Amino acid sequence: MSRCSSRQARWIAWLALACLAPAAHAQSQADDAIESYLDSHQLNALLAEQLLLRMGETPAAERAPIATQLASLYVELIENATSMKERESWESKARALLSMAPEDASAALRLDLDRARYATAERVIERARIRIASPAELQSALNTLSELSPTFDRIATQAHQNVLSIRRQEESGRDVDPLLLAEALRNARRQRSLGYYLAGWSNAYLAEFGASPTRAQAAIRQFGWLLGADLNEPPDMDRVPDQSMQLDHVGRSAIGVAVSYAALGDAGLALDWLDFIERHSETSDSVRAQLPGRRVAILAKLNRWGALETYVEGLRDDRDGDALEPDLARLIAVLALEGTGEAERTRRRIAQGAIIDLVNRQEIAQLVDLGERYGAGQITDGGFIGAHVRGLIAYESAREAHRQESPDADAPAASAGVVQNYVRAAELLRDALLNRDSAAYLEPAAATTLLLGMSEFFASGDATARAQRAASILQQASTLFDDDSRRADALWMAYRAAQRADTGDSASD
C-alpha cells in the first residue's frame, strides 16, 4: 500500500471515508477527514503521502503547521523503518520536506528530522560496541554522524544567537507580545541545548571509533554548554549546577565528556568525570545505570586491565555474586578478547569471568556467536565452563545442520552426517559433566545435562539403546532445574525419548 502514488493514496483513503464524511464537500474538510481516518487507522505511510500532497497545494506562508505534522510523522517512520533501504527512502523524503518548509520553521524541522537519523545511527553504534552490528552497518552509522555533527552545531549556534536577540528585544521595552517572545525563547533554548547535545555525542562517538582527536575536543566544548561552561569552553566539574544533574541529557553529557577525554588518552580526566557522575547525589537512575558499561570501555581503551578486573569483581560483589547483565558481560568479554599488549593473563581471566556470566544467564546465542567470532579455544578454559561452551557450540552446530536437512527438526536426525554431529556434541557435553569442577556450577550443569539428553535423542534414529539413554538423562535433567518451565521441558523430552525406545517412533506433539 505504501507504494501507491500520492494521488492514488488520497483517493483510496477518500473512498474509504465516503460513508464517514458524506457532508465534507469543501477540500479542506475532505483533507481533514482523510487525514483523521489515516491517523486513526495508523496508516502512517499513506498519511505522509497525503500531507505531502496537501503541503504542495498550500501557499508557502501557510505551510508551517502541515510541515511540522509531516516532520513528526517522518521522524516516526524513520525510527520504525525495518530495513536500511526503507529508512533511506524516508530520510530522502524528510530532506526534501525542508526545501518546502517556511524559513522560520526549517531549523526546528531539521533538528527533529536529523535527530531521528541520529537516533538510528546511535542504536547501530551501541550494538557495534558489543560487536553485534556488522562493519558495513557501523561505517554507515559513522558516516551519518560525520554528516550530522556540523549541522547540529550550526543549529545550536544559530539558536544561541536567537536567544541573545530575543533577550535584547525583552530588554528594549518595545511593544512586543510577551507570550510570543516567551514561546520563541523556549524554542530557541530547546534548539540550542538539543543541538549541542547531539553535536557533542556525534563527535564523541566518532572519536571513540578512531576519528581525529579534534572530534573529541569539539565534543568536550559542545557538552560544556550543557554542563555550565561558557560557550565554546570545556566544562568544569565545580561549575556544573547541582540540580541540572537530575536531567538525563545533562548526565549523559557528562558521560560524553568522559568518553571524549578517554579518546584523547587522558585517563585522569576521563575517570574523574565518571567518578563525579557516580558520586553526585542528583544523578538520575537511568544515567547511573549506564556507568558500568562506560567505565569498563574506558578502562579497556586506556589499557587499565588490572583496574578493570577489580572493578568488575566489585560489580559482582554488589550483586551478591549474581551474574552481570548480558550486554555488560558481552561488552567485557569482547574488550578483553580484543585487548592487546601486556597483562594477557589478566585479560583472559576477565574474559572467562564474563563468559561465566553469560553461561549463568543462559545466553546460548551469545556464547555461540562469541565462539564463532573468536574461536572456541579463545573463549574457553580447561574447566567445566570451557567444556560446557565447547559442547554447547557443537550442539548448536548440529541443530543448524539438522534444520537445513529436514523441515521436521524436532524428530531425530535421518542422515549419518547429522547424527555424527550430535554424537560429537554428546561426547563434549559428557566430558563437561565429568569435569572436576562441574559441581560448582549447578544451573549450567543442569543445562549441560539437558543438552546431553537432547543430543542423544536427536542422534537416536533406530538405535533403541540410545533412545533409552536419552530418556534416562532427560529424566535426570528434570530433577536438576529449579525453574518449573525448564523442568517441564526436560520431562516432555524424556517422555518422547521413552516412547521412541518402546515403539521405535517418537510421541506425537
Side-chain angles (χ1 to χ4, degrees):
M1 184 177 290
S2 62
R3 287 195 287 268
C4 293
S5 70
S6 298
R7 293 193 179 277
Q8 285 175 323
R10 186 172 182 173
W11 281 108
I12 289 170
W14 171 252
L15 290 172
L17 315 155
C19 63
L20 301 178
H25 301 297
Q27 186 63 57
S28 61
Q29 290 176 306
D31 285 333
D32 289 343
I34 291 171
E35 289 153 21
S36 177
Y37 176 85
L38 294 174
D39 184 41
S40 66
H41 288 75
Q42 298 183 329
L43 300 171
N44 289 348
L46 284 178
L47 179 56
E49 297 284 356
Q50 158 64 15
L51 289 171
L52 185 62
L53 180 63
R54 183 149 73 99
M55 190 165 168
E57 298 171 347
T58 301
E62 301 173 14
R63 289 176 178 173
I66 305 172
T68 300
Q69 184 181 358
L70 185 54
S72 177
L73 195 58
Y74 279 151
V75 167
E76 185 176 348
L77 288 164
I78 291 169
E79 290 180 342
N80 294 329
T82 57
S83 69
M84 185 177 295
K85 183 177 180 181
E86 182 185 358
R87 184 172 65 250
E88 288 174 349
S89 173
W90 289 120
E91 288 176 355
S92 176
K93 293 177 186 292
R95 286 192 293 271
L97 170 64
L98 293 173
S99 65
M100 299 176 63
E103 184 176 350
D104 59 354
S106 62
L109 293 177
R110 177 175 291 279
L111 186 56
D112 285 341
L113 292 169
D114 284 345
R115 182 177 57 170
R117 296 180 62 203
Y118 166 88
T120 300
E122 182 180 50
R123 284 194 293 272
V124 172
I125 287 176
E126 287 298 328
R127 290 171 54 234
R129 294 179 69 236
I130 56 175
R131 309 302 185 263
I132 292 179
S134 70
E137 288 175 319
L138 172 60
Q139 190 57 56
S140 176
L142 293 174
N143 290 344
T144 296
L145 295 187
S146 183
E147 174 192 339
L148 290 177
S149 61
T151 299
F152 290 138
D153 189 73
R154 283 195 299 271
I155 289 174
T157 301
Q158 181 58 56
H160 180 70
Q161 296 303 317
N162 291 344
V163 169
L164 298 180
S165 176
I166 293 168
R167 284 178 173 171
R168 285 194 293 270
Q169 290 184 59
E170 288 178 327
E171 294 168 358
S172 69
R174 291 197 295 267
D175 186 16
V176 181
D177 188 335
L179 294 179
L180 290 178
L181 278 183
E183 179 66 19
L185 185 59
R186 278 194 298 272
N187 289 336
R189 283 173 169 164
R190 171 186 174 273
Q191 292 171 24
R192 178 176 61 184
S193 294
L194 189 54
Y196 281 135
Y197 174 84
L198 295 173
W201 267 110
S202 297
N203 283 318
Y205 279 128
L206 289 165
E208 185 178 22
F209 280 86
S212 165
T214 57
R215 291 286 189 180
Q217 293 161 354
I220 291 167
R221 293 193 300 272
Q222 286 156 342
F223 288 132
W225 174 257
L226 294 145
L227 294 165
D230 293 333
L231 194 64
N232 291 321
E233 292 293 328
D236 182 334
M237 283 173 268
D238 293 334
R239 293 182 58 188
V240 177
D242 285 342
Q243 296 300 313
S244 71
M245 287 296 290
Q246 297 175 359
L247 304 174
D248 282 1
H249 72 280
V250 174
R252 286 207 76 233
S253 295
I255 291 176
V257 171
V259 170
S260 301
Y261 276 123
L264 293 172
D266 192 329
L269 277 174
L271 296 174
D272 283 350
W273 272 96
L274 290 183
D275 290 341
F276 167 77
I277 302 164
E278 193 159 16
R279 289 194 309 264
H280 205 291
S281 62
E282 301 294 336
T283 299
S284 69
D285 290 341
S286 61
V287 169
R288 204 176 290 279
Q290 299 172 41
L291 293 176
R294 293 297 174 182
R295 188 178 289 272
V296 299
I298 287 173
L299 288 171
K301 186 174 186 64
L302 299 171
N303 288 317
R304 300 286 190 88
W305 298 106
L308 195 157
E309 184 177 32
T310 300
Y311 177 67
V312 170
E313 289 173 353
L315 290 177
R316 293 193 185 99
D317 289 342
D318 291 342
R319 291 160 173 75
D320 295 326
D322 286 348
L324 299 178
E325 296 79 4
D327 282 355
L328 179 57
R330 183 184 173 104
L331 175 63
I332 294 167
V334 300
L335 291 172
L337 290 166
E338 295 176 3
T340 58
E342 299 179 359
E344 182 177 352
R345 289 184 179 179
T346 303
R347 290 201 307 276
R348 190 159 186 81
R349 286 196 304 271
I350 293 169
Q352 289 302 308
I355 295 299
I356 292 172
D357 288 325
L358 292 172
V359 169
N360 287 331
R361 291 278 187 174
Q362 301 173 24
E363 290 288 324
I364 294 174
Q366 300 256 36
L367 293 164
V368 171
D369 179 69
L370 291 172
E372 293 175 348
R373 184 179 296 270
Y374 298 105
Q378 290 297 311
I379 69 165
T380 61
D381 60 9
F384 165 76
I385 291 297
H388 168 85
V389 172
R390 287 191 293 274
L392 173 62
I393 292 172
Y395 174 81
E396 288 297 321
S397 177
R399 290 296 291 151
E400 180 60 28
H402 193 175
R403 283 188 286 267
Q404 291 181 3
E405 173 195 74
S406 170
D408 184 17
D410 285 338
S415 74
V418 177
V419 167
Q420 191 55 42
N421 287 345
Y422 280 119
V423 170
R424 175 57 180 160
E427 291 172 351
L428 291 171
L429 292 162
R430 189 174 288 107
D431 287 345
L433 291 171
L434 293 174
N435 194 281
R436 62 186 181 277
D437 62 348
S438 63
Y441 300 96
L442 297 180
E443 195 71 15
T448 304
T449 306
L450 175 62
L451 292 178
L452 172 58
M454 298 285 283
S455 297
E456 294 281 12
F457 172 74
F458 287 127
S460 62
D462 295 328
T464 302
R466 192 179 290 278
Q468 290 173 335
R469 187 161 61 243
S472 176
I473 294 169
L474 290 163
Q475 173 68 33
Q476 179 190 1
S478 72
T479 68
L480 301 177
F481 286 112
D482 292 330
D483 180 78
D484 289 340
S485 175
R486 303 202 77 193
R487 187 184 302 118
D489 289 342
L491 283 171
W492 169 243
M493 290 306 301
Y495 169 73
R496 290 189 65 194
Q499 287 292 98
R500 173 166 286 276
D502 289 343
T503 66
D505 196 3
S506 61
S508 61
D509 290 346

